[in-house]
Amino acid sequence: MGASGDPPRRASSPGEAPAGLTLVATPIGNLGDLSPRALAVLGGVDAVLCEDTRVTGQLLARHGMSAPMLPLHDHNEAEMIPRLLDRLRAGERLALASDAGTPLVSDPGYRLVRAAIEAGLPVTAIPGPNAAVMALTLSGLPPNPFLFVGFLAPKAGQRAAAIGRLRAAERAGLSATLVFYEAPHRLAEALAALAEGLGGDRPAAVARELTKRFEEVRRGSLADLAAHYAGAEARGEICIVVGPAPEERTGEADLDAQLRAALQGASLRDAAAMVAAATGLPRKQVYARALELSRDT
């Protein structure tokens, strides 16, 4: 690796944790999905940083292990970082585990990882379960490229605005399968909002209780899924997967709308390039129109 990469490290052997901070993926439902390497690290570190000590404590107890645990969550991460960096500088081995899945993916820990990297301290990970990737692979929708959005805002206005920004990005050239997390009690309204903002005919899937006994993946259009869950109770952890936007024939009004959306977050040249790629129109033609629109504003 180059000068900006982490220093080379040898892989840890069973019962040995690597130096520095290790991100450990934990099961998203089926406890049998905890890997041998994850077990070795959790049993060999000086402390386990966890989103909820009760959840991680149960996981460790199931495997006959005990380790010092420290809570690390959104409310205390900033305050904990200096102390944890001091412990890492002193040579301690720390593990970071979320309640379920891969740390940092919609879970706490990013600020600590960023601080450790900036301090030149070793950071590595034990890969494992991830609900977003599993839902994507089971959805039957194009797996790449994909965009992981995470949780939509719980309030209707903020949620609609976020979906509107995604749709504007699609009009400006984004073509990707979208992956969301959602709480079960908000699933029906989230699907209705996605159908309204992205189009009810968009192919989609709802994956829930992944890796568990009642695992279910329901596939259909956004409108059909919204109608189903308007009258059906959803339980468990939820992923929503939405297929890419269909190709659209671009008229003059559509071209202007795409350019205006792209110009909000990009230079004139970059906006024209993105829209030309998305529409298939000649780049010179799109650039000329973008130039006219920029002069009118």
Side-chain angles (χ1 to χ4, degrees):
M1 296 184 66
S4 61
D6 285 338
R9 70 180 80 242
R10 64 183 180 87
S12 58
S13 58
E16 177 186 344
L21 176 66
T22 304
L23 315 182
V24 181
T26 57
I28 58 176
N30 190 319
L31 296 181
D33 291 337
L34 190 66
S35 73
R37 283 187 65 210
L39 279 169
V41 169
L42 291 173
V45 292
D46 296 292
V48 179
L49 314 175
C50 35
E51 190 176 359
D52 188 328
T53 56
R54 294 167 298 181
V55 174
T56 303
Q58 289 177 359
L59 182 66
L60 295 177
R62 175 183 172 85
H63 293 278
M65 296 188 301
S66 62
M69 291 182 291
L70 296 171
L72 186 77
H73 44 70
D74 287 334
H75 302 294
N76 75 346
E77 189 175 5
E79 144 191 3
M80 288 284 290
I81 285 173
R83 299 181 223 168
L84 296 174
L85 293 182
D86 286 342
R87 293 182 68 161
L88 291 169
R89 289 189 187 99
E92 290 197 25
R93 301 165 190 260
L94 303 179
L96 171 63
S98 300
D99 286 353
T102 300
L104 276 67
V105 182
S106 284
D107 285 326
Y110 168 75
R111 288 178 289 183
L112 173 61
V113 169
R114 186 71 250 166
I117 292 171
E118 289 174 351
L121 296 164
V123 179
T124 189
I126 307 298
N130 179 270
V133 172
M134 184 174 178
L136 174 68
T137 58
L138 292 178
S139 69
L141 298 168
N144 60 285
F146 74 91
L147 173 64
F148 174 67
V149 184
F151 284 94
L152 287 167
K155 294 184 178 179
Q158 295 174 341
R159 181 172 55 228
I163 294 171
R165 288 191 292 271
L166 285 171
R167 187 67 187 117
E170 289 179 337
R171 290 195 179 102
L174 174 67
S175 179
T177 295
L178 309 175
V179 184
F180 305 86
Y181 286 161
E182 193 50 88
H185 64 280
R186 288 197 298 266
L187 176 60
E189 60 188 78
L191 287 168
L194 287 167
E196 181 178 353
L198 301 180
D201 57 349
R202 287 279 284 272
V206 172
R208 66 178 194 86
E209 294 287 80
L210 292 176
T211 76
K212 299 179 184 178
R213 180 181 178 185
F214 297 107
E215 175 179 299
E216 178 187 52
V217 182
R218 182 174 290 272
R219 305 169 183 89
S221 69
L222 277 174
D224 289 343
L225 291 171
H228 173 79
Y229 285 105
E233 182 182 10
R235 295 182 179 180
E237 304 294 326
I238 305 285
C239 290
I240 303 171
V241 187
V242 181
E247 291 186 14
E248 301 176 16
R249 295 186 66 181
T250 306
E252 186 176 338
D254 288 335
L255 175 61
D256 288 357
Q258 291 190 44
L259 282 170
R260 288 192 177 97
L263 285 166
Q264 291 179 8
S267 68
L268 191 147
R269 185 179 299 277
D270 289 343
M274 286 191 294
V275 173
T279 60
L281 294 172
R283 189 165 178 168
K284 287 184 178 180
Q285 175 188 336
V286 177
Y287 182 84
R289 183 57 185 155
L291 193 58
E292 290 176 15
L293 290 175
S294 66
R295 286 172 179 163
D296 292 340
T297 56

